Each structure stands twice: as structure tokens, then as C-alpha cells.
Amino acid sequence: MSEMSPTVQIRAPAKINLSLEITGRRPDGYHELVSIMQTVSLADILTLSLAEDVTVTVRGATLGADNLVTLAAELLRRRHNIGAGCAIILDKRIPIAAGLGGGSSDAAATLLSLCRLWNLELEPAELCDLAAQLGSDVPFFLQGGTSLIEGRGEVVTALPTPRPVWYLLVNPGFPVSTPAVYASLQHSDWTDGMMTRTLAERMKPGSHAPFGRNALESALFRVSPEARACLDAVAEVAAGRALVSGSGPTIFAEFEEAEPAATSCAALRRHGYWSEVTQAIAPREAITACV
Ligand code: C5P
């Protein structure tokens, strides 16, 4: 451990769902999905240092003791009988319960960083298994980039990196419960997944980023009719290319150029929405460490 850096800093990026189809309900109560996920430049920042106990300090948000960073640290510590602890500082920048995968990304970043801090070399399969125990989206965030997601979310296949585009994120400022959105799904929201699979199959390095549909959209509007006003506001400034991300309520819109994205961002902020201009990002390469 002595030659290891005692502090690790890592970005935990948000994701958007460029397409999301629900193909059915599973015996375990979860849903079978086919989705294309993309990490974007908006990110939480985690700083982890060796300590005696596991502590998590959150800045920029209020999280309960059952937050995914604490759960990830305790799971890894228990599984590998680690004597050491860690002090984790989480700088929260991704809106919470927003369909952007912030909590899941934090969990993946925690696992990756603690492997380094605690000097653990886990097989990718074990890391994936631990990630899936923490949440359906967590395995995707171990690598990020552009991926086809299947099963409950744990079947992750890397896709070619598309031509970079800008994504405007817009959030109406209230959280929406993911279980509530899934619970209000109707059979008519299910499809066979072919649209998303076809979009994925057609992707080549540098080809245009896919833009599909989101099967959770109707369910979101059933749970939260207010979320529709946000989609309408974004569609107005983004000329129709707007979609709900995950279970919402964040809406994203695709832009070829940065400038119109920034202009739309400013307009939506004037309407009282939280909004950020982001870029699609490539898969994770290495953890950035600082002493
Ligand atoms: O796996 P995770 O805890 O992130 O999922 C949150 C909730 O989303 C689950 O409790 C479930 O209601 C719903 N879900 C689902 N099917 C999936 C993923 C999530 O029904 N494939």
C-alpha cells in the first residue's frame, strides 16, 4: 500500500438514454429492457482517502445513510474482508432522482476507486457482479461511453463511439421516483426492442449518434403530469429532437453545434429550469489520482 497514492479522485458522469424500450416484466419483478446509454460530461466528483472507518461527506445535496456510495464501500469491504476504511467526499452536481443515473454512477466510481485505494485486483466479472447487486444501471458506469444495455440493465455491450454532439439537459427541479414510474407502465408501453437494436446495429465509429424513443415517457407523465410541460418547453427550443432520459424527469435535446445549445440553455434557465450543456464522452480510461 505504501507506494500507492493515498487519495483517489474520480469523476462519476451522468448518462442519458438515447433509446429505451421495455420488452416485458421479469419473474423477479424487474423489467426486461433494451437501451442505448451514453455518458455525458456533467459529473459528480468523488475524493477518497484511506481512513479507519467508512465515512461519506456529501456536498451539494442531502443523502440518507442508504446512499449508493456508502452501500458500495460497505459491500466491497465486507466481500473482501478489508480492515481499512475510507473517507469519501462526494461533490454532487448531477440532479438527484432525475433519470441521469447519478447515484448509480457514484456507486461504480466508488467500486473502481476503492479497488485502487485498498489495493484489490478484481476480475471484471466480479466487479460487474458487485455493481449489479447495487443497482441495474451500475454495471454500465464501470466503463461508460456508448453501450447497448439489455436484461435488467446488467448486460452491457460497448458500441462504436459516435460523432460527438452536444446534449442539452433540462430538469424541472423536482425528483421523480423510478419505482413509481416503472409501476405505472402499461402493456401498451412494451415493444419488441427492435427499434433500439437496429439503431445499435447501424452504428459505426463516427456515425451520427442514435436518437430513438423512451418507453418510460408515458409512464412518467402518468406519475408526474408536470414533467410534460418541461418536455414541451424543450421541444419548442430544440425543434422536436427532445426525449426523456431514463425514468425522468430530465429531458435532453441533441444539438450539432454548441452555440444554439447554449442559447437554448439560457432561455430555459430564464423559464426557471435547471439546464446544462453537455457533451457525449468516451468510455472510462483510467482513474485520475491526486496525492
Ligand atoms: O436496480 P435499481 O434499484 O436501480 O432499480 C430501481 C427500480 O427501478 C426498481 O426497484 C424497479 O422498480 C425499477 N426497475 C425495473 N426494471 C429494471 C430496472 C429498474 O423495474 N430493469
Side-chain angles (χ1 to χ4, degrees):
M1 194 80 78
S2 56
E3 75 272 19
M4 296 283 295
S5 163
T7 300
V8 173
Q9 192 165 63
I10 187 168
R11 290 170 69 80
K15 61 82 182 161
I16 51 176
N17 299 78
L18 300 177
S19 192
L20 196 171
E21 289 182 81
I22 304 289
T23 60
R25 207 177 150 91
R26 299 155 53 105
D28 62 9
Y30 282 80
H31 291 80
E32 204 65 44
L33 51 87
V34 184
S35 180
I36 299 173
M37 284 200 204
Q38 171 69 60
T39 43
V40 294
S41 49
L42 173 71
D44 293 337
I45 313 277
L46 288 92
T47 309
L48 306 93
S49 320
L50 281 177
E52 273 185 27
D53 302 314
V54 173
T55 59
V56 179
T57 308
V58 185
R59 296 180 185 151
T62 307
L63 298 181
D66 58 347
N67 72 82
L68 281 168
V69 169
T70 305
L71 296 181
E74 282 171 353
L75 178 66
L76 188 63
R77 196 179 191 222
R78 214 171 39 242
R79 180 73 75 94
H80 283 271
N81 258 323
I82 306 290
C86 56
I88 306 178
I89 299 169
L90 168 62
D91 271 306
K92 208 64 204 151
R93 293 162 189 200
I94 305 170
I96 291 167
L100 295 172
S104 303
S105 187
D106 294 342
T110 302
L111 289 179
L112 291 169
S113 305
L114 288 180
C115 283
R116 182 165 173 152
L117 206 60
W118 289 341
N119 220 2
L120 291 169
E121 276 189 30
L122 265 56
E123 292 294 328
E126 191 194 345
L127 207 48
C128 239
D129 175 59
L130 290 173
Q133 283 185 44
L134 291 161
S136 306
D137 287 349
V138 183
F140 161 71
F141 283 110
L142 292 172
Q143 197 68 63
T146 320
S147 296
L148 179 69
I149 307 297
E150 294 166 283
R152 181 169 70 94
E154 81 288 12
V155 184
V156 182
T157 311
L159 291 170
T161 300
R163 178 152 57 90
V165 286
W166 302 84
Y167 292 109
L168 177 68
L169 309 184
V170 187
N171 182 279
F174 51 80
V176 170
S177 149
T178 298
V181 172
Y182 273 97
S184 77
L185 272 170
Q186 296 175 354
H187 274 239
S188 55
D189 297 321
W190 297 3
T191 48
D192 62 5
M194 274 315 289
M195 180 193 188
T196 304
R197 282 184 211 286
T198 305
L199 283 171
E201 274 162 22
R202 287 189 185 150
M203 286 179 68
K204 295 188 174 57
S207 65
H208 197 284
F211 200 96
R213 63 188 303 271
N214 185 344
L216 296 175
E217 185 176 288
S218 308
L220 167 68
F221 296 154
R222 266 174 233 128
V223 168
S224 169
E226 307 86 354
R228 189 188 287 273
C230 185
L231 176 63
D232 291 344
V234 181
E236 210 166 286
V237 299
R241 295 278 278 178
L243 211 57
V244 171
S245 181
S247 54
T250 305
I251 310 295
F252 70 92
E254 186 204 277
F255 286 84
E256 295 276 336
E257 309 284 339
E259 206 185 303
T263 308
S264 301
C265 179
L268 287 154
R269 283 180 182 173
R270 280 196 297 275
H271 279 89
Y273 292 112
W274 173 96
S275 185
E276 287 285 337
V277 177
T278 64
Q279 268 189 300
I281 60 167
R284 201 184 280 288
E285 278 173 19
I287 299 170
T288 325
C290 63
V291 185

